[in-house]
Short mmCIF file of all heavy atoms in Angstrom, two decimals:
data_model
loop_
_atom_site.label_atom_id
_atom_site.label_comp_id
_atom_site.label_asym_id
_atom_site.label_seq_id
_atom_site.Cartn_x
_atom_site.Cartn_y
_atom_site.Cartn_z
N PHE A 39 66.16 -149.44 -90.14
CA PHE A 39 65.59 -150.63 -89.73
C PHE A 39 65.74 -150.80 -88.21
O PHE A 39 66.79 -150.40 -87.62
CB PHE A 39 66.24 -151.85 -90.44
CG PHE A 39 66.08 -151.81 -91.91
CD1 PHE A 39 66.89 -151.14 -92.77
CD2 PHE A 39 65.05 -152.45 -92.47
CE1 PHE A 39 66.74 -151.09 -94.08
CE2 PHE A 39 64.75 -152.41 -93.88
CZ PHE A 39 65.67 -151.77 -94.62
N THR A 40 64.81 -151.43 -87.54
CA THR A 40 64.74 -151.42 -86.01
C THR A 40 64.44 -152.74 -85.46
O THR A 40 64.52 -152.88 -84.19
CB THR A 40 63.69 -150.37 -85.59
OG1 THR A 40 62.44 -150.70 -86.10
CG2 THR A 40 64.09 -148.95 -85.91
N TYR A 41 64.05 -153.81 -86.19
CA TYR A 41 63.53 -154.95 -85.55
C TYR A 41 64.61 -156.02 -85.45
O TYR A 41 65.24 -156.44 -86.48
CB TYR A 41 62.36 -155.52 -86.47
CG TYR A 41 61.56 -156.63 -85.80
CD1 TYR A 41 60.30 -156.38 -85.17
CD2 TYR A 41 62.01 -158.00 -85.89
CE1 TYR A 41 59.63 -157.43 -84.61
CE2 TYR A 41 61.28 -158.98 -85.27
CZ TYR A 41 60.02 -158.72 -84.61
OH TYR A 41 59.33 -159.70 -84.15
N PHE A 42 64.78 -156.55 -84.28
CA PHE A 42 65.80 -157.60 -84.00
C PHE A 42 65.15 -158.84 -83.32
O PHE A 42 64.40 -158.73 -82.45
CB PHE A 42 66.88 -157.12 -83.06
CG PHE A 42 67.77 -156.04 -83.72
CD1 PHE A 42 67.32 -154.71 -83.79
CD2 PHE A 42 68.95 -156.36 -84.31
CE1 PHE A 42 68.02 -153.71 -84.39
CE2 PHE A 42 69.75 -155.39 -84.93
CZ PHE A 42 69.26 -154.06 -84.96
N ASP A 43 65.49 -160.00 -83.93
CA ASP A 43 64.93 -161.26 -83.45
C ASP A 43 65.90 -162.21 -82.90
O ASP A 43 66.84 -162.57 -83.58
CB ASP A 43 64.17 -161.91 -84.66
CG ASP A 43 63.64 -163.29 -84.29
OD1 ASP A 43 62.53 -163.41 -83.70
OD2 ASP A 43 64.35 -164.31 -84.49
N THR A 44 65.84 -162.55 -81.63
CA THR A 44 66.71 -163.50 -81.05
C THR A 44 65.89 -164.62 -80.43
O THR A 44 64.69 -164.74 -80.55
CB THR A 44 67.67 -162.83 -80.06
OG1 THR A 44 68.56 -163.79 -79.48
CG2 THR A 44 66.86 -162.19 -78.86
N ALA A 45 66.60 -165.54 -79.67
CA ALA A 45 65.88 -166.63 -78.96
C ALA A 45 66.81 -167.21 -77.91
O ALA A 45 68.06 -167.06 -78.06
CB ALA A 45 65.47 -167.72 -79.88
N TYR A 46 66.27 -167.74 -76.89
CA TYR A 46 66.98 -168.36 -75.76
C TYR A 46 68.04 -169.37 -76.31
O TYR A 46 69.13 -169.48 -75.84
CB TYR A 46 66.00 -169.08 -74.79
CG TYR A 46 66.54 -169.58 -73.56
CD1 TYR A 46 66.67 -168.77 -72.41
CD2 TYR A 46 66.97 -170.91 -73.45
CE1 TYR A 46 67.16 -169.30 -71.25
CE2 TYR A 46 67.48 -171.39 -72.28
CZ TYR A 46 67.56 -170.58 -71.16
OH TYR A 46 68.01 -171.12 -69.97
N VAL A 47 67.59 -170.19 -77.33
CA VAL A 47 68.36 -171.30 -77.75
C VAL A 47 69.50 -171.01 -78.73
O VAL A 47 70.39 -171.81 -78.95
CB VAL A 47 67.49 -172.51 -78.23
CG1 VAL A 47 66.60 -173.03 -77.15
CG2 VAL A 47 66.66 -172.04 -79.46
N TYR A 48 69.35 -169.90 -79.43
CA TYR A 48 70.26 -169.66 -80.58
C TYR A 48 71.72 -169.50 -80.06
O TYR A 48 71.93 -168.92 -78.94
CB TYR A 48 69.89 -168.34 -81.26
CG TYR A 48 68.63 -168.35 -82.01
CD1 TYR A 48 68.02 -167.13 -82.44
CD2 TYR A 48 67.93 -169.51 -82.27
CE1 TYR A 48 66.88 -167.09 -83.07
CE2 TYR A 48 66.67 -169.41 -82.93
CZ TYR A 48 66.07 -168.23 -83.34
OH TYR A 48 64.92 -168.19 -83.94
N HIS A 49 72.63 -169.90 -80.81
CA HIS A 49 74.08 -169.79 -80.54
C HIS A 49 74.40 -170.35 -79.20
O HIS A 49 75.05 -169.61 -78.32
CB HIS A 49 74.56 -168.36 -80.71
CG HIS A 49 74.70 -167.86 -82.11
ND1 HIS A 49 75.88 -168.11 -82.83
CD2 HIS A 49 73.80 -167.37 -82.99
CE1 HIS A 49 75.71 -167.59 -84.06
NE2 HIS A 49 74.45 -167.22 -84.24
N GLN A 50 73.94 -171.56 -78.95
CA GLN A 50 74.18 -172.24 -77.72
C GLN A 50 73.83 -171.41 -76.51
O GLN A 50 74.59 -171.23 -75.56
CB GLN A 50 75.72 -172.71 -77.60
CG GLN A 50 75.90 -173.85 -78.60
CD GLN A 50 77.38 -174.40 -78.52
OE1 GLN A 50 78.20 -173.95 -77.72
NE2 GLN A 50 77.72 -175.20 -79.42
N GLN A 51 72.65 -170.86 -76.63
CA GLN A 51 72.08 -170.06 -75.52
C GLN A 51 72.75 -168.77 -75.23
O GLN A 51 72.60 -168.23 -74.17
CB GLN A 51 71.88 -170.86 -74.28
CG GLN A 51 71.01 -172.11 -74.43
CD GLN A 51 71.09 -173.07 -73.24
OE1 GLN A 51 71.21 -172.59 -72.09
NE2 GLN A 51 70.97 -174.32 -73.48
N GLN A 52 73.52 -168.30 -76.19
CA GLN A 52 74.29 -167.00 -76.00
C GLN A 52 73.80 -165.85 -76.94
O GLN A 52 74.28 -164.73 -76.77
CB GLN A 52 75.80 -167.24 -76.29
CG GLN A 52 76.37 -168.14 -75.23
CD GLN A 52 76.16 -167.78 -73.78
OE1 GLN A 52 76.38 -166.65 -73.44
NE2 GLN A 52 75.68 -168.66 -72.92
N SER A 53 72.83 -166.10 -77.84
CA SER A 53 72.50 -165.12 -78.76
C SER A 53 71.90 -163.88 -78.07
O SER A 53 72.22 -162.69 -78.52
CB SER A 53 71.40 -165.70 -79.71
OG SER A 53 70.87 -164.65 -80.54
N GLU A 54 71.15 -164.07 -77.05
CA GLU A 54 70.53 -162.94 -76.32
C GLU A 54 71.64 -162.04 -75.68
O GLU A 54 71.53 -160.77 -75.71
CB GLU A 54 69.58 -163.41 -75.24
CG GLU A 54 68.27 -164.06 -75.83
CD GLU A 54 67.49 -164.76 -74.80
OE1 GLU A 54 68.05 -165.34 -73.88
OE2 GLU A 54 66.26 -164.79 -74.95
N ARG A 55 72.74 -162.62 -75.24
CA ARG A 55 73.84 -161.85 -74.71
C ARG A 55 74.53 -161.06 -75.88
O ARG A 55 74.94 -159.91 -75.64
CB ARG A 55 74.85 -162.76 -74.03
CG ARG A 55 74.30 -163.39 -72.75
CD ARG A 55 75.48 -163.83 -71.83
NE ARG A 55 74.97 -164.64 -70.74
CZ ARG A 55 74.26 -164.17 -69.66
NH1 ARG A 55 74.07 -162.86 -69.51
NH2 ARG A 55 73.81 -164.98 -68.76
N PHE A 56 74.73 -161.70 -77.02
CA PHE A 56 75.32 -160.96 -78.15
C PHE A 56 74.41 -159.82 -78.56
O PHE A 56 74.91 -158.77 -78.93
CB PHE A 56 75.50 -161.96 -79.33
CG PHE A 56 76.46 -163.11 -79.07
CD1 PHE A 56 76.13 -164.39 -79.37
CD2 PHE A 56 77.61 -162.86 -78.41
CE1 PHE A 56 77.01 -165.42 -79.14
CE2 PHE A 56 78.57 -163.89 -78.09
CZ PHE A 56 78.20 -165.15 -78.45
N LEU A 57 73.12 -160.02 -78.49
CA LEU A 57 72.20 -158.92 -78.77
C LEU A 57 72.37 -157.70 -77.85
O LEU A 57 72.42 -156.57 -78.24
CB LEU A 57 70.75 -159.39 -78.76
CG LEU A 57 69.70 -158.42 -79.18
CD1 LEU A 57 69.49 -158.51 -80.72
CD2 LEU A 57 68.42 -158.55 -78.54
N LYS A 58 72.50 -158.02 -76.59
CA LYS A 58 72.73 -156.97 -75.61
C LYS A 58 74.00 -156.19 -75.90
O LYS A 58 74.04 -155.01 -75.96
CB LYS A 58 72.88 -157.60 -74.19
CG LYS A 58 73.20 -156.68 -73.08
CD LYS A 58 73.25 -157.35 -71.77
CE LYS A 58 73.56 -156.34 -70.57
NZ LYS A 58 74.80 -155.66 -70.62
N GLN A 59 75.09 -157.02 -76.17
CA GLN A 59 76.39 -156.33 -76.43
C GLN A 59 76.37 -155.48 -77.72
O GLN A 59 76.86 -154.31 -77.78
CB GLN A 59 77.48 -157.39 -76.71
CG GLN A 59 78.30 -157.63 -75.46
CD GLN A 59 79.30 -158.72 -75.82
OE1 GLN A 59 78.95 -159.88 -75.68
NE2 GLN A 59 80.57 -158.38 -76.32
#
Side-chain angles (χ1 to χ4, degrees):
F39 295 88
T40 55
Y41 191 99
F42 291 83
D43 173 84
T44 181
Y46 187 88
V47 296
Y48 297 164
H49 285 271
Q50 290 181 5
Q51 299 173 32
Q52 295 305 310
S53 172
E54 290 167 328
R55 292 201 191 283
F56 297 134
L57 186 90
K58 175 178 185 296
Q59 261 179 274

